[in-house]
Amino acid sequence: MSGARLLEGRLEARGRKVAVIAARFNDFIVASLLKGAQAAWVRHGGELEDLLVVRVPGAFELPVAARKLAASGRYDAVVALGCVIRGGTPHFEYVAGECAGGLQRAALETLVPVIFGVLTVETVEQAIERAATGEGNKGGEAMEAALEMAGVFAELGS
Ligand code: INI
């Protein structure tokens, strides 16, 4: 709509404080998501030394760690990375559902953007596709969502 005031977050890592939490479960996938997130951080001007990476056992533990980091007041955004494969567990609904709901609650309760970089897929093949190097890596997309939200919130102020 013409004339409307538009507020958008720029993809800029300089000066931003971001924490990444990465589940260790399915690490053969999550390690690639983490690489994608780190590459996006650097691509947008960040220094790797300025990025905090926290490891937790599995996707189920991501929300509590996200809540703690977000509530600390030290981060502009938190990125949660994990991988839940339906074929791999009868717990899929519990793990994936609680993880998604818990991450959203962490964001709403703290008003710090918490980004859902968790693959919830049917098969290992789908997970590999979404964690591949380069464009389409969901870890990279999650980092860009974090930077965009951090930028929007910086513009909105407190
Ligand atoms: N954790 C995952 O991150 N992905 C999975 O696919 C998964 N499966 O298959 O169960 C999984 N389970 C572990 C869970 O997240 C917790 O770490 C564990 O239950 C301890 O609380």
Side-chain angles (χ1 to χ4, degrees):
M1 215 189 311
S2 70
R5 222 181 114 225
L6 177 66
L7 195 154
E8 279 183 311
R10 284 186 307 122
L11 295 184
E12 175 59 65
R14 268 170 288 252
R16 297 279 181 245
K17 290 176 268 96
V18 172
V20 178
I21 318 163
R24 233 185 300 276
F25 204 100
N26 287 329
D27 191 51
F28 70 107
I29 296 294
V30 181
S32 300
L33 297 177
L34 182 55
K35 270 193 197 148
Q38 289 173 319
W41 172 256
V42 169
R43 195 164 62 246
H44 293 295
E47 303 279 344
L48 269 189
E49 305 81 72
D50 295 332
L51 192 64
L52 177 72
V53 177
V54 178
R55 301 306 300 255
V56 297
F60 195 76
E61 283 72 38
L62 289 170
V64 69
R67 176 75 170 74
K68 188 167 175 64
L69 288 162
S72 74
R74 290 201 292 266
Y75 300 99
D76 301 312
V78 175
V79 176
L81 302 177
C83 174
V84 194
I85 303 171
R86 187 187 292 275
T89 174
H91 306 317
F92 179 90
E93 258 79 29
Y94 297 110
V95 175
E98 294 299 332
C99 175
L103 290 175
Q104 182 66 292
R105 275 199 304 282
L108 293 173
E109 286 166 8
T110 59
L111 294 183
V112 172
V114 175
I115 306 302
F116 187 67
V118 180
L119 301 183
T120 55
V121 292
E122 299 291 326
T123 64
V124 173
E125 290 70 29
Q126 289 175 347
I128 290 170
E129 202 179 300
R130 290 163 173 74
T133 317
E135 235 170 78
N137 179 295
K138 297 295 169 194
E141 289 181 13
M143 177 58 75
E144 291 193 335
L147 295 178
E148 181 175 350
M149 287 302 290
V152 169
F153 274 34
E155 289 290 318
L156 284 174
S158 47

